Amino acid sequence: MSSPTLTHSQLANFLPADTCRTEASALIGGFPRHFWYAAIALFLGVFFSEHDLWYSTYEDFAHGEASIVSSTGGGNIIRRLTFFWMGGVGLTLLFVANKIEWKIKPLLALTFIAPLAWGWISLLWSTESSLCIRRLTVRTCSALACVGIGRLFTLKQICWLALFILGGSIGIGVLAELGLRRFRPWSGDYRFSGTQHPNPEGMYLAACCFAAVSLAWGEKKYRAILIGIALAAVMLLVLTKSRSATAALVITFGAVLLLQTTLRFKLFAGLSGSWLMGIVVLAVWLLQIDALRELGEAALMGRKEASDTLSGRNFIWPLAQHFIDQRPWFGYGFESFWTADHVQYVADELQFPVMEAHNGYLEVQLSTGRIGLGLHLLAVFAGIAAAARALWQRGDASCGLITSVLIYSLLSACFESTMFGLFFVTLVAWAGVAHLAFGGAEEDASNQPATPKVS
């Protein structure tokens, strides 16, 4: 005698409505349906705004002075539309998350909002109000995306989201170089760029490594895969020959390990490191190796061109400081300094075109002055402190991605403007801060959709 079977509709009568919706919404990998919709929508926005399949074919990874000057008008129409797309995605995610309880932490929320609010206030003295409004609109759309991601997803899901989008972009970059026959790691002057300049590509690779390691810290079943992804990202990062990104990655890992490990491990690592350093120094002395010369060549990563001028940065920085001194406290308005006139003036002075200060701290001062820089640094340190506190209290290793990227931004900003600007790497970290500041979805011990099922 066969046992009776229940159809899906009959089964639904015996199950709670929420259970049926959860089961119906689960798709590939155990993630909820809206996770994949958001991942695809965000990936499209990020790829069209930050990437170019033919970037590796550009000579010296530059577009030329005429292209740089013309881009001060706000960029191409597709890139502008993608920012509205990101804002729309953020609003949609906020709407979907309307049933999730708001748990606002006033001080953290205030530091999160303050830099953007000050940017809107800077319209009062902006030297180029139309440019200022466009840039503020873009930044506001990105802020909406941050809050939407932070509200709807758990910290672990944000880590997986970062890994999928960053890893997907990097993978397409590798395929693009292979297809264009530009992937030549055996060549002495080769720098891996993928679909963007090697320096921001290096930041993508570093963030991908952070996401993989953060997930591996708490994932046992998929730890080997995640560590493999992290190692692959590090190898590609070395191929970018981005010196600032590589150095910042090493220092950031050390700082985050200090936050995430026990006191006993810190003491053990410190003593072991001291012994190892002593052995290395003794070996260098006995073998009579010119350590300073060898170390210098290794630090240059094969890029000796313009190394004495930091690739021209020590010419750019004094010019940037000259303009900062004219408006030290308020700046020129939110991202309003690099007008066509200023770009042309700097190009004439330096004899090569630039459209950024190549230093995040100088860039923010040009934008919103010392007050703006202070507010931005306050937000970064508040985000690091909140993520570290959550890490200690919850033991959630996903907080490592937030602390890693924010610490990395402080280090990388010494040589690049990008990490204090609009960029998916920083966007995902601020999404984590928004989760901590405004409250968001939490992990459920009985149902953890953030862990993918690998067959």
Side-chain angles (χ1 to χ4, degrees):
M1 182 176 180
S2 60
S3 59
T5 59
L6 295 175
T7 64
H8 183 273
S9 59
Q10 291 173 325
L11 182 63
N13 294 327
F14 294 94
L15 294 176
D18 290 342
T19 303
C20 292
R21 282 194 294 268
T22 301
E23 292 297 326
S25 66
L27 285 178
I28 302 171
F31 290 96
R33 185 187 301 270
H34 59 259
F35 176 91
W36 291 110
Y37 290 158
I40 294 170
L42 289 168
F43 178 81
L44 292 174
V46 168
F47 194 83
F48 281 106
S49 65
E50 297 180 7
H51 299 268
D52 182 346
L53 289 173
W54 288 269
Y55 203 99
S56 60
T57 63
Y58 300 148
E59 185 177 357
D60 296 327
F61 307 110
H63 292 275
E65 182 175 341
S67 177
I68 289 178
V69 173
S70 65
S71 66
T72 59
N76 61 64
I77 187 64
I78 295 178
R79 189 168 187 270
R80 284 186 239 174
L81 289 174
T82 57
F83 293 122
F84 288 105
W85 171 267
M86 296 291 280
V89 171
L91 284 173
T92 303
L93 298 181
L94 278 172
F95 176 77
V96 175
N98 65 338
K99 292 185 179 180
I100 297 175
E101 182 184 359
W102 288 83
K103 298 178 181 178
I104 299 176
K105 298 178 180 177
L107 291 179
L108 183 59
L110 182 61
T111 59
F112 180 89
I113 295 170
L116 181 58
W118 181 250
W120 279 104
I121 294 172
S122 72
L123 263 173
L124 297 174
W125 59 82
S126 173
T127 56
E128 190 67 38
S129 58
S130 61
L131 179 61
C132 186
I133 290 174
R134 288 198 298 271
R135 298 294 169 81
L136 281 167
T137 302
V138 165
R139 187 58 59 91
T140 303
C141 289
S142 298
L144 286 173
C146 287
V147 179
I149 295 168
R151 288 278 298 140
L152 185 58
F153 300 118
T154 67
L155 289 175
K156 185 182 287 187
Q157 286 174 330
I158 292 173
C159 264
W160 281 110
L161 195 69
L163 186 65
F164 290 149
I165 295 176
L166 292 168
S169 301
I170 294 164
I172 290 175
V174 173
L175 293 175
E177 286 206 0
L178 288 171
L180 296 169
R181 298 182 180 179
R182 306 293 295 183
F183 189 75
R184 299 191 297 266
W186 54 86
S187 177
D189 59 348
Y190 172 77
R191 297 183 67 188
F192 174 70
S193 65
T195 53
Q196 52 186 337
H197 191 279
N199 290 343
E201 186 71 15
M203 297 170 192
Y204 259 64
L205 290 159
C208 184
C209 182
F210 294 146
V213 171
S214 297
L215 288 167
W217 198 278
E219 291 282 352
K220 294 181 179 180
K221 189 174 182 180
Y222 314 109
R223 185 169 292 168
I225 297 174
L226 291 166
I227 291 175
I229 293 172
L231 291 175
V234 171
M235 287 189 289
L236 287 173
L237 174 58
V238 172
L239 289 178
T240 66
K241 296 183 181 178
S242 178
R243 297 167 292 204
S244 58
T246 306
L249 175 73
V250 174
I251 297 171
T252 300
F253 261 126
V256 174
L257 282 174
L258 287 176
L259 289 174
Q260 295 194 212
T261 54
T262 62
L263 179 60
R264 179 180 297 179
F265 180 85
K266 292 171 187 174
L267 292 174
F268 173 77
L271 290 173
S272 301
S274 300
W275 277 103
L276 181 61
M277 182 63 69
I279 293 172
V280 171
V281 170
L282 180 62
V284 167
W285 179 66
L286 291 175
L287 296 174
Q288 296 184 343
I289 298 173
D290 188 349
L292 291 177
R293 182 178 63 82
E294 296 291 337
L295 184 62
E297 291 183 358
L300 291 175
M301 301 182 72
R303 294 174 56 204
K304 296 183 180 180
E305 75 284 358
S307 59
D308 55 336
T309 65
L310 296 175
S311 299
R313 287 177 174 82
N314 66 349
F315 297 130
I316 300 170
W317 291 344
L319 269 177
Q321 189 61 55
H322 166 74
F323 284 106
I324 289 171
D325 291 340
Q326 295 179 24
R327 294 187 172 205
W329 292 102
F330 298 98
Y332 293 80
F334 186 83
E335 295 189 6
S336 300
F337 173 76
W338 294 103
T339 60
D341 290 340
H342 281 145
V343 170
Q344 190 64 58
Y345 176 85
V346 172
D348 292 341
E349 289 290 319
L350 301 178
Q351 298 304 307
F352 58 87
V354 293
M355 203 176 120
E356 58 179 285
H358 285 280
N359 180 291
Y361 302 97
L362 296 178
E363 197 71 60
V364 176
Q365 290 182 79
L366 286 169
S367 177
T368 51
R370 293 174 184 170
I371 296 175
L373 178 61
L375 292 173
H376 188 89
L377 291 177
L378 182 63
V380 172
F381 285 118
I384 293 172
R389 189 182 304 112
L391 175 65
W392 295 327
Q393 291 175 349
R394 307 180 194 175
D396 189 347
S398 302
C399 294
L401 175 63
I402 304 171
T403 54
S404 298
V405 173
L406 292 181
I407 293 172
Y408 181 84
S409 72
L410 293 173
L411 297 170
S412 184
C414 295
F415 297 97
E416 299 294 338
S417 301
T418 312
M419 288 303 285
F420 276 2
L422 181 64
F423 196 48
F424 178 71
V425 171
T426 50
L427 185 147
V428 75
W430 288 114
V433 175
H435 176 96
L436 298 173
F438 303 106
E442 300 294 342
E443 293 290 336
D444 186 352
S446 62
N447 180 28
Q448 295 189 15
T451 305
K453 301 172 185 176
V454 179
S455 57

